[in-house]
Amino acid sequence: LSLPPSPSPRPPTHQGGGGEEGHGEPGHLHVDDVQAVYETLLDNAVVETERVRSLLVAAEREKERLLLQLEEAAEVQAHDTKEIADLSKYLKEANELLAESATTTTTATAATTTASSPPSLLNGAGAEYFPRNSSSVQSRLSLGPYTDDTVVYHLVSHTHWDREWYQPFEKFRRSLVQITDDVMNVLHDDATFHHWHTDGAMSVIEDYLELRPDRVEMVREAARKNLISLGPWYTQPDEFLVSGEAIIANLMYGMRLARQYGDPMMIGYLPDTFGNISQLPQIYHELGIETALFGRGVVYHDGKPNPSEAHWKGADGST
């Protein structure tokens, strides 16, 4: 291919005008014009540089945010994987406990009578698992003599039980079964150990017997002899979060469930419940509960705590 010849450059043209040579004439640029163009281009370059720099900073921050999200996602995934493994382990242990309970028979011999297999439930003879005589009961009453200045402290063996909190339910229940087994064995072996308070909630007994169904009669015997408490609640409610109807149903169901094993404890026991409502004395009164114990909401006045005993007056005047 052949290219056409380049056109010859045109000579500059000069058109009228006076003053400095070339200034203001078409086809000519004065040094001031060049300087102005240069400064404008420089200003634009500075602005564009700042814009690009801001974009780079924003991109770096977004990169750091995404990397952090990836790390958090990896941690959550690792935690969930561990939780799934733990839950599988706890469910396996729970199934093993159920299988162990299901295979318990009344033909077991004295050699197989262990802490996990109560003798009264195995010998079929109706023997008591918690032998108590009048002297052991009387020992609880022979604490005097008292004077007007005597201060008597009552130590009540108990557990405060969170059904599910910082560990999964089944892991907590595994601990509950172990603790309850231990306490029942102590009540069997030591006649001076008089009572175990089950935190005012029948869910403790229900969760235990689901994995220890062979111990239902043992629980009934313990309740009949006032060695354990039953209810009156089904579970400790958070009064901030539930309706009044739910609170009443909770108490009614807990007391009904307690009567399957013995008499419910007629004390409104709420040691760790938030938001004690003004109608609670009214609800207690309607269900026959005339004494209450709570731990939250005891405020201080003038640097001194409120008295440990008081008349609690409800919104309707019930006390």
Side-chain angles (χ1 to χ4, degrees):
L1 297 176
S2 60
L3 297 176
S6 299
S8 302
R10 291 182 180 183
T13 59
H14 300 274
Q15 297 179 359
E20 188 177 345
E21 184 179 355
H23 183 69
E25 298 179 358
H28 292 272
L29 288 177
H30 189 268
V31 66
D32 293 339
D33 298 328
V34 174
Q35 183 67 24
V37 171
Y38 171 77
E39 291 177 355
T40 300
L41 292 175
L42 184 61
D43 290 342
N44 291 339
V46 170
V47 172
E48 184 66 15
T49 301
E50 289 298 323
R51 189 182 71 83
V52 172
R53 183 179 291 111
S54 298
L55 290 174
L56 288 174
V57 170
E60 188 65 26
R61 289 175 178 172
E62 182 66 11
K63 176 184 174 182
E64 292 176 357
R65 187 183 68 83
L66 292 174
L67 288 175
L68 183 60
Q69 283 188 344
L70 285 174
E71 292 177 1
E72 291 176 348
E75 291 176 358
V76 170
Q77 183 179 13
H79 179 268
D80 290 345
T81 302
K82 183 178 183 300
E83 284 290 303
I84 292 172
D86 288 343
L87 284 173
S88 299
K89 175 186 174 183
Y90 305 143
L91 287 173
K92 180 180 177 182
E93 292 175 349
N95 288 330
E96 290 173 353
L97 283 172
L98 286 171
E100 175 187 335
S101 299
T103 56
T104 303
T105 65
T106 57
T107 58
T109 62
T112 61
T113 302
T114 63
S116 61
S117 300
S120 66
L121 303 179
L122 298 177
N123 57 23
E128 295 182 342
Y129 185 66
F130 304 108
R132 292 292 191 274
N133 53 43
S134 58
S135 62
S136 65
V137 175
Q138 185 64 28
S139 66
R140 282 181 280 180
L141 307 177
S142 303
L143 300 176
Y146 299 131
T147 68
D148 292 340
D149 297 328
T150 300
V151 177
V152 180
Y153 293 89
H154 298 275
L155 179 63
V156 180
S157 299
H158 76 290
T159 178
H160 174 57
W161 193 254
D162 289 297
R163 202 171 188 224
E164 183 175 21
W165 184 23
Y166 56 85
Q167 291 179 338
F169 162 65
E170 287 298 344
K171 185 167 185 179
F172 271 127
R173 179 153 70 166
R174 177 66 173 174
S175 299
L176 173 65
V177 170
Q178 294 172 343
I179 290 171
T180 308
D181 280 347
D182 291 343
V183 171
M184 291 300 180
N185 294 331
V186 172
L187 285 169
H188 170 261
D189 297 333
D190 186 357
T192 65
F193 186 75
H194 300 303
H195 188 83
W196 184 48
H197 178 60
T198 58
D199 204 34
M202 280 304 299
S203 58
V204 173
I205 302 298
E206 184 179 66
D207 290 344
Y208 174 70
L209 291 179
E210 281 186 359
L211 297 186
R212 286 282 194 256
D214 56 307
R215 292 197 162 195
V216 171
E217 292 304 322
M218 182 185 67
V219 169
R220 286 198 176 104
E221 181 186 337
R224 187 176 67 252
K225 294 185 175 182
N226 197 31
L227 301 177
I228 63 171
S229 60
L230 300 174
W233 296 91
Y234 174 68
T235 187
Q236 296 279 325
D238 189 326
E239 298 170 61
F240 272 143
L241 303 180
V242 299
S243 67
E245 182 179 358
I247 292 174
I248 295 171
N250 189 329
L251 263 175
M252 293 179 66
Y253 182 74
M255 295 172 73
R256 183 186 306 168
L257 186 61
R259 290 188 176 99
Q260 296 180 17
Y261 305 94
D263 294 326
M265 180 184 72
M266 302 301 285
I267 299 175
Y269 184 78
L270 290 174
D272 195 37
T273 292
F274 296 92
N276 289 306
I277 59 175
S278 61
Q279 290 90 346
L280 204 53
Q282 176 185 356
I283 295 172
Y284 282 151
H285 181 73
E286 291 295 327
L287 294 175
I289 297 174
E290 302 296 339
T291 305
L293 186 152
F294 62 90
R296 299 284 185 179
V298 180
V299 298
Y300 284 70
H301 293 291
D302 299 326
K304 296 180 181 179
N306 280 331
S308 58
E309 296 85 21
H311 290 286
W312 188 4
K313 188 175 182 179
D316 73 329
S318 299
T319 56

